[in-house]
Amino acid sequence: MKMKRIGFIGLGLMGKPMAFNLIKKGYELGVYNRTHEKTKDFQGKAEIFKKPSEVAKNRDVVITMVRDHRAVEEVIFGEEGCIYGASEGTTFIDMSTISPEASKDIAERLKKKGFHFLDAPVSGSTWAAESGTLAIMVGGEREIFEKQKDILQTLGSKVVYMGESGMGSLMKLVNNLVGACWTVSLAEALVLAKKGGLNLESVLEVLSAGAYKSPLVEIKGGKMAKGDFSTQFSLDLMYKDLLYISDALEKYGVFSPVTSVVKEIFKSSFEKGMGNLDYSSIFETIEKMSNR
Ligand SMILES: NC(=O)c1ccc[n+]([C@@H]2O[C@H](COP(=O)([O-])OP(=O)(O)OC[C@H]3O[C@@H](n4cnc5c(N)ncnc54)[C@H](OP(=O)(O)O)[C@@H]3O)[C@@H](O)[C@H]2O)c1
């Protein structure tokens, strides 16, 4: 069977390993990244393009994995956007974290031009992107989802259809609400443990064996204990997600005192210039505020 031709846009921390997994599986890939030098590792492995309109030419599917809704808007509808190269019937799969409203709007505008669209954001950080074990939540027409399942199953070990356009993005906000709030409570717990004289390695050993064991405790807790804030998922991106989450909570009228405080803690860390660090660096903010 002929493998699908895929255009892949956005070779950041997540996009790069995802694109490599598709190549390994045998898909024919064309790649584009705004900062062109990030395409250099793809030489000889994929076709490399300098414009989104070019990478979308003669592709069955175009995947976007970029920062936010503005970036998706730019690469799809911008001056040199994909819509100026893609053929009718192409399916766009946006795997970035954006708002449900933006996903719905993009789906409608693409449909009017004869294209298909799925919002398919992901959970699991760089390690899951590398191992092809992301959790992927999908919104859009079910028939289109079924047609593109092979691609999604290459990138993730759990692929769940959530409903109409925008539902994948809404699910992602639900997911990251949990992640952001847990991170702050984990940081508070570890600062308490540290100040109280507990050994953090032993603390994590217990937490990772009991009722609250999770990749967040193991991986982000491990980074907090070591003070290693090298970036897997930047604080800047989690703060961006919290802004989308706040809008959604407001839209649906959800009483959300915890998320409000968590957003303020992320905001103050971001304003202190910590945006490029991993979001586990929230530990440092809590520790500094506790030592004042
Ligand atoms: N990292 C994680 O653990 C994780 C997990 C789940 C979901 N996500 C989500 O996945 C998406 C990508 O995250 P990431 O960690 O890979 O981020 P990243 O490393 O910062 O990469 C962001 C990508 O977006 C591109 N970009 C930003 N603004 C753009 C614009 N205006 N036009 C065109 N391209 C633009 C960047 O291009 P340049 O190289 O030119 O800057 C880069 O390729 C985000 O929506 C994030 O919230 C991340």
Side-chain angles (χ1 to χ4, degrees), residues 29-32 36 39-40 42-44 46-50:
L29 237 71
V31 295
Y32 163 83
H36 188 66
T39 59
K40 72 174 188 302
F42 288 85
Q43 269 166 17
E47 281 185 81
I48 296 174
F49 295 94
K50 289 195 167 161

Side-chain angles (χ1 to χ4, degrees), residues 17-29:
M18 289 164 69
F20 273 127
N21 282 340
L22 293 168
I23 293 170
K24 266 187 236 148
K25 187 79 180 187
Y27 292 101
E28 265 186 62
L29 237 71

Side-chain angles (χ1 to χ4, degrees), residues 18-272:
M18 289 164 69
F20 273 127
N21 282 340
L22 293 168
I23 293 170
K24 266 187 236 148
K25 187 79 180 187
Y27 292 101
E28 265 186 62
L29 237 71
V31 295
Y32 163 83
N33 194 73
R34 179 180 62 176
T35 306
H36 188 66
E37 65 184 14
K38 287 193 194 166
T39 59
K40 72 174 188 302
D41 292 342
F42 288 85
Q43 269 166 17
K45 300 183 177 99
E47 281 185 81
I48 296 174
F49 295 94
K50 289 195 167 161
K51 291 176 186 170
S53 57
E54 288 172 355
V55 78
K57 238 176 235 167
N58 299 320
R59 302 282 157 188
D60 303 298
V61 170
V62 174
I63 296 177
T64 45
M65 188 54 171
V66 291
R67 181 192 155 79
D68 57 11
H69 69 278
R70 285 182 209 90
V72 179
E73 174 78 29
E74 199 169 321
V75 296
I76 296 183
F77 299 105
E79 224 173 280
E80 292 175 328
C82 299
I83 55 164
Y84 300 107
S87 331
E88 209 180 320
T90 300
T91 296
F92 287 79
I93 307 179
D94 178 40
M95 307 194 78
S96 330
T97 304
I98 69 171
S99 69
E101 285 69 30
S103 295
K104 269 191 251 177
D105 176 59
I106 292 167
E108 278 165 26
R109 286 156 68 200
L110 285 175
K111 194 171 182 177
K112 280 185 194 149
K113 293 184 182 296
F115 304 118
H116 306 293
F117 180 78
L118 296 173
D119 42 295
V122 308
S123 176
S125 196
T126 46
W127 66 88
E130 281 157 20
S131 56
T133 56
L134 292 162
I136 305 181
M137 46 222 99
V138 190
E141 285 174 35
R142 191 182 262 281
E143 194 193 333
I144 302 300
F145 164 69
E146 295 295 342
K147 276 190 188 155
Q148 306 305 346
K149 231 175 170 176
D150 57 313
I151 292 177
L152 300 171
Q153 284 172 340
T154 300
L155 299 171
S157 51
K158 189 71 171 170
V159 179
V160 185
Y161 179 72
M162 305 306 302
E164 64 188 28
S165 281
M167 295 308 242
S169 291
L170 180 60
M171 178 60 228
K172 175 63 188 176
L173 300 188
V174 168
N175 184 77
N176 277 21
L177 186 159
V178 175
C181 294
W182 274 14
T183 300
V184 174
S185 59
L186 180 63
E188 284 180 13
L190 293 188
V191 171
L192 167 64
K194 192 172 168 182
K195 287 183 86 115
L198 289 169
N199 174 295
L200 289 189
E201 261 180 47
S202 309
V203 170
L204 288 173
E205 206 178 330
V206 174
L207 288 177
S208 299
Y212 307 118
K213 69 177 173 188
S214 69
L216 189 106
V217 167
E218 277 175 42
I219 297 168
K220 297 303 174 186
K223 286 173 83 61
M224 291 179 190
K226 286 194 216 109
D228 164 17
F229 303 126
S230 55
T231 311
Q232 293 167 331
F233 183 1
S234 69
L235 187 140
D236 164 49
L237 287 181
M238 187 60 108
Y239 177 49
K240 175 261 297 181
D241 293 351
L242 278 161
L243 297 176
Y244 289 140
I245 290 166
S246 298
D247 288 347
L249 289 167
E250 199 180 320
K251 177 177 171 187
Y252 291 104
V254 180
F255 176 61
S256 48
V258 176
T259 310
S260 304
V261 173
V262 165
K263 189 178 96 181
E264 288 312 307
I265 294 170
F266 270 86
K267 182 172 184 239
S268 83
S269 305
F270 174 75
E271 286 172 352
K272 285 191 187 97

